[in-house]
Amino acid sequence: MRGVGAGVLGTLALLATGLPAQEPGHAFLDRIATPPLRFTPPDVRERQLAGGVTVFFLQDSSLPLVDVFARFRGGYGRFPRELHAAGTALPHLLRTGGTREMTPDSVERVVERYALQLSVGGSGSAVTASLNTLAEHLPAALEFWGAMLGRPRFDTARVAVWRGQEGESVRRRLDDPARLAFAEFNRLLYGDHPVGWEMTEEDLDPARLTVERFRWLHERIVCPDNLVLGVAGDVRWEELRPLLERMVEALPPCAEPLPPPPTARVGAPAGVYLLPRPVNQSTVVLAHPVRLAQDTSRAYFASRVGNTILGAGGFSSRLLTRVRTREGLAYGASSLWTTPREYDGLLGATTRTRSEATVRTIRLVLETMAEMALEPPTADEVGTVVDETVNGWVFNFGSPAQIVSRHMAFRAAGLPDDWLEAYLRGLRAVTPEDVRSVFADHLRPEDMVILVVGDPEAMDSGLEALGPVRILGPDGGPRGGRPPAGGPSAATPPPSAGPRSPR
């Protein structure tokens, strides 16, 4: 180690002797001319297959790998509630349920043989799948992947395993106050809309999980008319196109057009909804509907900056600073401001606190939110949010696969292909007054729906002062009746602590 250390010190000494006499090192470095840094994002090419399927393609030969993405428009949210469980299980069974020619175990042997990485997922609006393979195995991998997606077996043993896992999750829901709060909040505000659906034992009745139901859904979702593809990796378009066309031709045609997405009427009567649970902490979710969609308006970008300053920005946010650092009332607190394009979003916050500080914490959260509409944030607060976004911008281009999959997501959401650049420009133009103005225009404390899960006997007094109190039963509805009247609604919390959000 002495030799290494001596070598480093000697090198530094030689460098130092090369500096002009009596000139500080930093001054010398400042005089070195460097060209301005320029970054041009890789260009994703849009192609068309013979059957009309769109392909987003980015060739990259840095590694002998190819990533392929498929997005099928349509999910459980396009179909009646009795198909909710089957639609939720469909992506899982495409991956694990085998093909018509191969059992699930045989499928896994092929995956191991070719060292494939496969994933299939889904939501209320789409079924997505991805494939990663060595470039030399691409022809065989695409043929195999096409069989998994286009000719699924829906193995009954795998259906039973999935049903058992979901059933256990349903039974444990009441044991997790946070999960219960976010699920009930979505149901309260969204009502009978897919965002408000929560799996029940009735959904998991074997009669709703038959192979015939899976095939019925599969014929309407996993078919060429609903498909968009993305490819990134070590392959030329001339080689790729016939492989993709063969795979798409093997998919069954769509049995019929997808039904239109359901309309959401977001909202519930303002006030306090109390779900009693024998726990020593209160979980609080509060929000109200807000009409501000994801677009290129000045108000939209101001809402992104304002939401980060208020509570979505972690330890530097106002909510966390006041609720946790100053008052010691909670370990965490976060704001939410969702901006779906299809229907109203939500503006609100989430937190958990000890029972005896429930009302005090809610008041502090509401006061902190109200301040955003009264006084503009400081220039430093706005600048910090913008700088963090700008400094992290390059991480949006970590790999060709990431670029292509994001391109597909933007197109599916109806956003322009240059959305990242537009987002950056929009944030940079936001002023402190823009932030105050967007909260003044959209924040309505009198319309706040406040859901509390906790022990009312241990809570501090004054819950009634926050609004009319409605007691919910274990199933989320009011004791002795159905859930309160009011349309559907949606929320966007941190990934591990909040209601579901469409965007």
Side-chain angles (χ1 to χ4, degrees):
M1 294 300 293
R2 278 187 190 174
V4 173
V8 172
L9 291 174
T11 301
L12 293 174
L14 289 172
L15 289 173
T17 59
L19 297 176
Q22 298 181 345
E23 182 175 13
H26 65 82
F28 174 70
L29 293 176
D30 289 342
R31 291 195 297 104
I32 297 177
T34 57
L37 293 175
R38 298 187 182 278
F39 173 69
T40 302
D43 185 20
V44 176
R45 302 294 179 89
E46 184 174 342
R47 309 286 192 178
Q48 295 287 328
L49 300 181
V53 172
T54 298
V55 182
F56 296 106
F57 175 65
L58 177 57
Q59 184 175 355
D60 175 74
S61 300
S62 57
L63 292 172
L65 297 172
V66 180
D67 287 281
V68 189
F69 304 95
R71 184 184 190 277
F72 295 93
R73 183 172 50 91
Y76 64 79
R78 294 291 189 102
F79 301 96
R81 174 59 194 260
E82 56 265 25
L83 293 172
H84 175 46
T88 302
L90 178 65
H92 175 78
L93 294 171
L94 291 176
R95 172 61 186 88
T96 65
T99 73
R100 296 204 178 187
E101 298 81 13
M102 291 185 286
T103 65
D105 289 342
S106 298
V107 165
E108 296 310 316
R109 283 193 288 271
V110 174
V111 172
E112 292 176 4
R113 176 184 176 186
Y114 289 105
L116 305 177
Q117 293 183 0
L118 301 171
S119 69
V120 184
S123 65
S125 59
V127 171
T128 59
S130 67
L131 161 71
N132 174 273
T133 178
L134 288 167
E136 63 181 293
H137 295 158
L138 181 61
L142 279 177
E143 183 178 356
F144 168 71
W145 195 52
M148 289 182 63
L149 297 176
R151 300 190 300 278
R153 174 183 292 256
F154 298 121
D155 184 83
T156 54
R158 298 302 174 103
V159 173
V161 170
W162 180 87
R163 178 175 175 272
Q165 292 171 340
E166 285 294 310
E168 185 63 21
S169 177
V170 169
R171 287 186 287 274
R172 290 175 178 264
R173 184 178 302 143
L174 294 178
D175 297 335
D176 185 344
R179 178 187 168 198
L180 180 62
F182 305 133
E184 295 306 333
F185 191 84
N186 278 328
R187 181 161 68 169
L188 183 65
L189 271 73
Y190 281 94
D192 189 21
H193 182 275
V195 176
W197 292 350
E198 194 73 17
M199 197 71 71
T200 66
E201 292 187 1
E202 182 182 3
D203 291 323
L204 296 173
D205 187 300
R208 295 190 175 188
L209 293 169
T210 62
V211 172
E212 290 73 24
R213 287 204 171 199
F214 288 121
R215 295 209 185 285
W216 191 92
L217 283 169
H218 179 264
E219 291 169 357
R220 286 155 177 78
I221 297 175
V222 185
C223 49
D225 291 351
N226 300 332
L227 175 61
V228 174
L229 290 167
V231 181
D234 188 17
V235 61
R236 294 184 298 111
W237 176 248
E238 294 74 16
E239 301 169 348
L240 176 65
R241 179 171 183 167
L243 299 177
L244 293 179
E245 288 183 340
R246 226 171 9 249
M247 187 200 81
V248 172
E249 288 171 0
L251 295 175
C254 295
E256 60 184 15
L258 284 170
T263 301
R265 295 177 294 105
V266 183
V272 179
Y273 295 79
L274 176 61
L275 182 53
R277 297 298 297 161
V279 292
N280 58 10
Q281 280 192 331
S282 294
T283 301
V284 179
V285 186
L286 55 89
H288 65 69
V290 59
R291 291 190 176 180
L292 181 63
Q294 183 181 28
D295 57 20
T296 56
S297 67
R298 197 175 189 91
Y300 169 75
F301 294 114
S303 75
R304 301 306 87 196
V305 174
N307 187 42
T308 303
I309 293 171
L310 173 60
F315 285 100
S316 62
S317 68
R318 291 187 177 185
L319 277 178
L320 202 57
T321 297
R322 296 181 184 181
V323 173
R324 171 179 167 151
T325 307
R326 294 184 187 174
E327 301 296 331
L329 296 174
Y331 181 79
S334 178
S335 64
L336 59 92
W337 192 334
T338 65
T339 55
R341 295 165 65 85
E342 301 85 1
Y343 41 80
D344 292 352
L346 294 180
L347 173 55
T350 68
T351 189
R352 279 189 282 184
T353 186
R354 59 187 185 273
S355 299
E356 63 272 18
T358 301
V359 176
R360 180 182 170 194
T361 302
I362 294 173
R363 288 188 181 281
L364 181 58
V365 168
L366 292 172
E367 290 170 5
T368 305
M369 295 182 71
E371 290 173 5
M372 298 291 294
L374 299 176
E375 295 289 338
T378 66
D380 284 345
E381 286 179 303
V382 174
T384 297
V385 174
V386 175
D387 288 346
E388 288 177 352
T389 304
V390 172
N391 293 337
W393 192 72
V394 69
F395 295 107
N396 290 295
F397 305 92
S399 70
Q402 179 188 15
I403 296 169
V404 168
S405 61
R406 184 180 60 246
H407 202 88
M408 294 173 66
F410 287 165
R411 185 66 66 88
L415 297 171
D417 293 340
D418 65 343
W419 174 247
L420 277 180
E421 291 82 356
Y423 189 82
L424 210 58
R425 290 193 300 270
L427 286 192
R428 282 173 160 164
V430 171
T431 67
E433 177 56 27
D434 289 336
V435 175
R436 186 208 64 78
S437 177
V438 77
F439 273 92
D441 290 343
H442 294 90
L443 179 63
R444 306 187 308 277
E446 69 278 5
D447 292 337
M448 202 67 74
V449 176
I450 304 171
L451 175 68
V452 182
V453 177
D455 184 358
E457 299 298 325
M459 293 180 191
D460 47 342
S461 61
L463 200 59
E464 297 80 5
L466 300 173
V469 178
R470 299 169 174 85
I471 308 297
L472 302 179
D475 62 348
R479 288 181 175 169
R482 294 176 55 79
S489 158
T492 305
S496 61
R500 288 192 302 271
S501 166
R503 193 100 57 238

